[in-house]
Amino acid sequence: MLEQLLIFTKGGLILWTCKELGSALRGSPIDTLIRTCLLEERSGLASHNYGAPGASYTLKWTFHNELGLVFVAVYQRILHLLYVDDLLNMVKREFSEIYDPKRTVYDDFDETFRQLRMEAEARAEELRKSKQLVGKPVSNGKKQGQVNNKGGSEGGNKKKSENGVAKEGDDVLMKDRNIQNGHSNTNHVGIKDTKGNGVVSVKESNTASNNGAFDVNKLQKLRSKGGKKTDTAASNKVSKADPQKKATKKNRVWDDSPVETKLDFTNPADQNGDRNMHVVAAEEGESMMDKEENVSSESESEEDEEVEKGSKPDTKKGWFSSMFQSIAGKANLDRADLEPALKALKDRLMTKNVAEEIAEKLCESVATSLEGKKLASFTRVSSTVQAAMEEALVRILTPRRSIDILRDVHVAKEKNKPYVIVFVGVNGVGKSTNLAKVAYWLLQHKVNVMMAACDTFRSGAVEQLRTHARRLQIPIFEKGYEKDPAVVAKEAIQEATRNGSDVVLVDTAGRMQDNEPLMRALSKLIYLNNPDLVLFVGEALVGNDAVDQLSKFNQRLADLSTSPTPRLIDGILLTKFDTIDDKVGAALSMVYVSGAPVMFVGCGQSYTDLKKLNVKSIVKTLLK
């Protein structure tokens, strides 16, 4: 059953809702659709699934780009309503005829919608009946049962003949387990009828033992033989394994000195080491985070010419017709007009290291937003498509929430608790190095920082972080290796609360997104400590792998968390940005997949090489 259908403008003004349906929607599916699909350039998708406590909806929508209207239908996800797409198209056609920009109430559309709905439901019912009539001669109940029984017996005989006694022994063991659990093949084996009559019992075929399908006596004899063989084999294995257990290998001792039981070199360094380390906070200078980056405003006429050369949408038309169309304007843009320019833009995005899947979705969303729109006078299709793509990219890369960490730190300080940042990511992306850059930037703003060495897995990780802490003259909390990182982080936060530290920077072990034990440990760390910010550290060098990393990290954190509202990635730190030249597409791919903003960009080896993401510069580079 259709839950709701509503019409609103792209500015957010609701023009009409179906009063006949009337039932209030649970949760906020419309707001979620606008926030996650329409504003993030995912409008090219076929549908959107919304899930909330006590609510599970599917939303479908369509646009009237010329009038700036959005038509949305909401129904229960468990239902498969075949008439929703047809109904939306009919409603769009009828409502566009009576739409007036000066009018805000459309009560007279209720009767029209009632007729359209009945017509769409009738079409769907006729289509369903026609499909049933077409498929009816194929499914004959009696013949189907005979074929299934015959196939089952032949399959059983064939399995016996091909696999021999060993396969029969496996079947016997399976039967023995079923008998011990209180079941037998004559009671619970069944074949599902294709006509929808439930489960058809196959008891008759099993009782006909003279066919050789299931001979219980023979199977029991084989079972007894197989059991004896397995028992003897097991006893032989035990007897052979006993002498090996007694002879244990001893560690070789080269000298008379005692052997080290554990290779852990994380003991605190002596005082001489601290004296040799020099303070770099005053030497490195100002961090690039506090410097404004100027973007040169060059003319984009050359870019438009390149897109026009790549697209060539009017090759079959004469120059007079093309000139007349550019002066008078095209009536309505259709998909054929947009395809050449969109293909050129997609290729350009992919050359800038944007993931192919993301480039396709962006072009589809831009095509959906432009289809049916009237082309203005003295305007080319290529420039219109590029302007729409530029607007979409700016909307995606611009953070939708505040990313002012310094303000959040002061708010947490007023509550007498430290601000906790957890750095996560795959192996070798530079988490520890960029953690030190963030610490250096915070020190310049008079913030008390403490590091927490929670990478207890990689050899040398604690020493690396300790070196950064000594150079920056900030405290570090460490417990060595082979410890539970969640417990180490919890103790570090408690220590920071006692010492009055403002920020705790938690370093974690690098892990691949499909490593379940390490992902489970990370999920436990986040759940147990509830950090204020979870930063994903990713390389700017990755292409299609960025989609896989971000999506699986979020999915694993959600699946492995024991909380009903799991914490996901809050922000992105993009590293090695100085090595990619104009291949800046990884930033777009990561933001599009996760919805999290890029909060820091690492662009060098020193502590000052950390800056903010310049959205205008990225968009200009992507479309250059």
Side-chain angles (χ1 to χ4, degrees), residues 425-441:
V426 300
N427 308 80
V429 294
K431 290 183 294 298
S432 302
T433 303
N434 285 274
L435 182 147
K437 294 179 185 179
V438 174
Y440 177 78
W441 171 66

Side-chain angles (χ1 to χ4, degrees), residues 263 265-266 455-464 481-482 509:
L263 296 176
F265 300 100
T266 58
D455 185 356
T456 62
F457 184 77
R458 176 175 63 90
S459 300
V462 178
E463 288 81 4
Q464 179 185 4
Y481 295 100
E482 298 182 5

Side-chain angles (χ1 to χ4, degrees), residues 60-64 69-73 85 88-89 92 368:
K60 290 192 174 184
W61 63 91
T62 185
F63 299 105
H64 198 300
L69 301 178
V70 184
F71 303 82
V72 181
D85 294 328
L88 283 174
N89 291 328
K92 180 175 74 171
T368 305

Side-chain angles (χ1 to χ4, degrees), residues 274-286:
D274 291 337
R275 291 173 185 172
N276 293 331
M277 289 292 176
H278 58 281
V279 181
V280 297
E283 297 178 2
E284 294 286 345
E286 185 182 4

